[in-house]
Amino acid sequence: MSVQERKQRERADRERLIVATARELAEQQGWDAVTTRRLAERIEYSQPVLYSHFRGKREIIGAVALQGAAELAAAVRAATSAADGPRARVAALAHAYLDFAGRNPAVYDAVFQLDGGLAYAQEDTPEPLKDAFAALMETLEEVAGDGVHPGLFTETFWAALHGLATLTRAGRLPPEHTGQRVELLVDRLAIA
């Protein structure tokens, strides 16, 4: 391995460490606890080293968001591929989405709530974000119905899931009824 290759590998390792540490800290204490000073202390590098990878917290949130979007897409695809039939696939999608949001609240916030400097629903939207949406649409387009634009239907279903995830987490909806809400959503919206 050349010196250049070794330096590139070390740089990539440091970047992964920064993102993993930010994610861990955010999951434990919330995004307000994630500062460049605290990250530098935790990873045992100086703040200038951190700034050589990311210009600030916003870019770190963006990196966590991209990682989270890829994980969400994988979780949705794994759940839907194991389900048999359109209704079961839509229910599996909804449960996988809500489970992801519940298990990874800080990552979920990075993807869907916080400003990570990423473009959404635009030409220059990063590929992991596009892929997360595509993972939803792959299942939902089969139940969208005649004359219904699959992208618009997916946005509407996604908005309902996002509402369920955020309202449940905020304590506005009791979590013990999540399964019933998913059944209603699937029965009334997706499988008409």
Side-chain angles (χ1 to χ4, degrees):
M1 176 181 299
S2 73
V3 172
Q4 181 68 13
E5 290 171 329
R6 183 180 53 77
K7 286 183 178 187
Q8 287 174 341
R9 188 186 74 222
E10 289 171 355
R11 180 171 176 74
D13 288 345
R14 265 193 319 272
E15 191 165 302
R16 279 190 292 278
L17 178 62
I18 293 165
V19 171
T21 303
R23 181 177 175 160
E24 179 183 317
L25 186 58
E27 291 293 0
Q28 291 171 351
Q29 299 176 30
W31 279 104
D32 286 343
V34 179
T35 64
T36 53
R37 176 175 285 158
R38 287 185 83 183
L39 285 174
E41 288 170 4
R42 284 208 175 190
I43 65 172
E44 298 178 347
Y45 282 101
S46 68
Q47 282 183 288
V49 169
L50 247 121
Y51 285 117
S52 75
H53 290 273
F54 300 99
R55 285 183 283 191
K57 182 176 175 177
R58 182 177 186 221
E59 283 189 5
I60 294 169
I61 290 170
V64 171
L66 294 176
Q67 190 179 74
E71 291 170 12
L72 176 61
V76 165
R77 286 189 176 111
T80 58
S81 71
D84 187 29
R87 187 193 189 289
R89 280 190 288 280
V90 173
L93 176 152
H95 285 291
Y97 183 98
L98 294 172
D99 289 346
F100 179 86
R103 280 191 324 274
N104 307 284
V107 173
Y108 186 83
D109 285 350
V111 179
F112 296 115
Q113 305 272 91
L114 301 175
D115 179 9
L118 303 173
Y120 284 79
Q122 297 176 25
E123 207 51 43
D124 60 341
T125 297
E127 208 47 50
L129 298 177
K130 288 179 182 178
D131 190 51
F133 187 79
L136 299 176
M137 194 160 76
E138 288 162 9
T139 295
L140 294 170
E141 68 186 349
E142 71 180 306
V143 298
D146 293 335
V148 177
H149 188 279
L152 293 176
F153 182 77
T154 300
E155 290 171 352
T156 302
F157 196 86
W158 166 37
L161 289 176
H162 178 69
L164 289 175
T166 56
L167 290 170
T168 301
R169 190 167 108 205
R172 303 299 197 275
L173 296 175
E176 63 269 16
H177 299 299
T178 298
Q180 292 170 304
R181 289 185 194 98
V182 168
E183 292 302 311
L184 283 170
L185 185 61
V186 171
D187 287 341
R188 301 291 184 225
L189 184 59
I191 308 296

